[in-house]
Amino acid sequence: MKGHWSSSYITWAMEEGLTNGYEDGTFQPDKPITEAEFLALLLRAYGLISVADVAAGSQWHAPYYEYANSLGWPMNHANTRGSFLRGQAALLMATAARGVVLTEREAIKWLLDEGISNGRTAATIEGFASTGSITRAEALTFLYKLKLHTKLLSSTKLPTVQSGLYGIELGDHVDKLIALHGKPDGIVLSEYAFSWHVYTGGGQYEPFAMYGLASDRIVAAFSPSKGGWQLPGGLTNGLPLASAKPLLAGVTGVRQEDDYYAYSAGGVRTTLFLDALDGDGIVGILKQQEGLKASTARDDKLRDALEQTLFDLVNAERVTRGISALSWDRLAAQAARLHSEDMRDHNYFSHTNKGNASAFDRMESQGIRFRYAAENIAAGQPNSFFAHYAFLNSASHRKAMLDAKLTKLGVGVALGGSYKQYFTQNYYSPL
């Protein structure tokens, strides 16, 4: 690394046994460092964990994260190269050194005030360039100066406050999502330029959560589960709307309908879905970054995603209320899709088609033999969330959705037509 501005810091790191560089003999000082790599260097620099502490066969970074998590340090699990930012590094260093809860700006100010950093372009909070990725050379420079300043890291265990949806907030990296919750049970498209990562609890639907991802960042989140959302002021599912409104001072763009209450704040659009038939309690919360581009693809993949999402929402609703989840039924789904397409193609909205066939007739025509059966239809809603809560807030549709006697469900969606989107649900219990 002779000739590189950071060569003295790299030499220090190698002599201290913090790193050996890459197998090809290079160090690549200008390459972005990941959070796990930075955390490992920090803990090695203070002799808290060594390379030898990593158990064979485990993820190499596991003991470093275990140590950081045990003290409540702010970890983002941003391990896609280039996703770990200078501001996050500053917050981690300042928290570890001081043993107090800090904001990112407070952490950066401390580094600047103590001479641990001179910023990237200037010795100011803005000049620190908190949103820029941190290189391997910058990381070693930070750690060398931190070690000169602070001889021992704090052992104070900080309080951990879960926020967002099951610890995930808008803006978090997908690595944090995977680290906390594992791989999703499913991934489906949305009507925007992001995909939903769906967690169904292994098909048990408790807990149930959906996270919208674009460019590896969380841009939307939804859950009807009680206890999943931890939002400012105690806003969460189960709270009556009348009790929630005083918590929403300063919001804009308010829109209230029978089945939802929506508002904007801080660049985020929040929709509180309501149970209008039971005291206007909040039964689902959807948060989404504003300004997201609508998807231009209105094709079979989007149709399939809307069907799957509506199926998942029904099951999450039932399980939240102590009712068994339904099984997906291929024949019922076929009957439902054909009816949605028929309503679109022949411009009508009814349970009885132009040939005078009822829902029961149409289900039997697909070979279904049932003891009990029911059908819900909706049209014009922008997505499956709004269709679901329209069903929930209609007494007759709600009855079908929450009927414990029904065990199977097929969902069919048709795109286009005068209503833009048609939704059909066919429920039944087999003979």
Side-chain angles (χ1 to χ4, degrees), residues 180-259:
L180 291 186
H181 301 300
K183 293 182 179 180
D185 295 301
I187 300 176
V188 297
L189 297 178
S190 77
E191 71 274 23
Y192 291 93
F194 68 80
S195 296
W196 286 111
H197 287 223
V198 185
Y199 290 80
T200 67
Q204 300 302 307
Y205 291 93
E206 183 55 45
F208 175 75
M210 300 175 66
Y211 300 93
L213 274 93
S215 301
D216 289 335
R217 293 284 174 180
I218 307 295
V219 297
F222 167 82
S223 181
S225 301
K226 294 179 179 178
W229 282 106
Q230 300 293 328
L231 300 173
L235 180 65
T236 191
N237 286 316
L239 194 67
L241 179 61
S243 299
K245 283 184 177 180
L247 307 175
L248 307 177
V251 302
T252 61
V254 173
R255 180 173 179 178
Q256 183 168 2
E257 300 292 341
D258 289 342
D259 48 4

Side-chain angles (χ1 to χ4, degrees), residues 164-165 168-170 194 196 210-212 218-223 229-232 235 248 263 265 268-273 284-290 292:
L165 178 57
I168 301 295
E169 300 185 79
L170 299 195
F194 68 80
W196 286 111
M210 300 175 66
Y211 300 93
I218 307 295
V219 297
F222 167 82
S223 181
W229 282 106
Q230 300 293 328
L231 300 173
L235 180 65
L248 307 177
Y263 59 89
V268 175
R269 186 69 174 173
T270 300
T271 303
L272 308 177
F273 291 104
I285 299 177
L286 170 65
K287 297 183 78 69
Q288 182 173 308
Q289 288 183 358
E290 293 186 305
L292 296 173

Side-chain angles (χ1 to χ4, degrees), residues 19-34:
T19 180
N20 294 318
Y22 289 97
E23 293 180 357
D24 62 2
T26 65
F27 184 78
Q28 301 181 31
D30 297 319
K31 188 175 183 177
I33 196 168
T34 67

Side-chain angles (χ1 to χ4, degrees), residues 191-192 298 306 379-387 419 421 423:
E191 71 274 23
Y192 291 93
R298 293 184 57 79
L306 293 171
Q381 289 80 10
N383 57 41
S384 297
F385 297 104
F386 288 91
Y419 283 98
Q421 290 178 156
F423 303 86

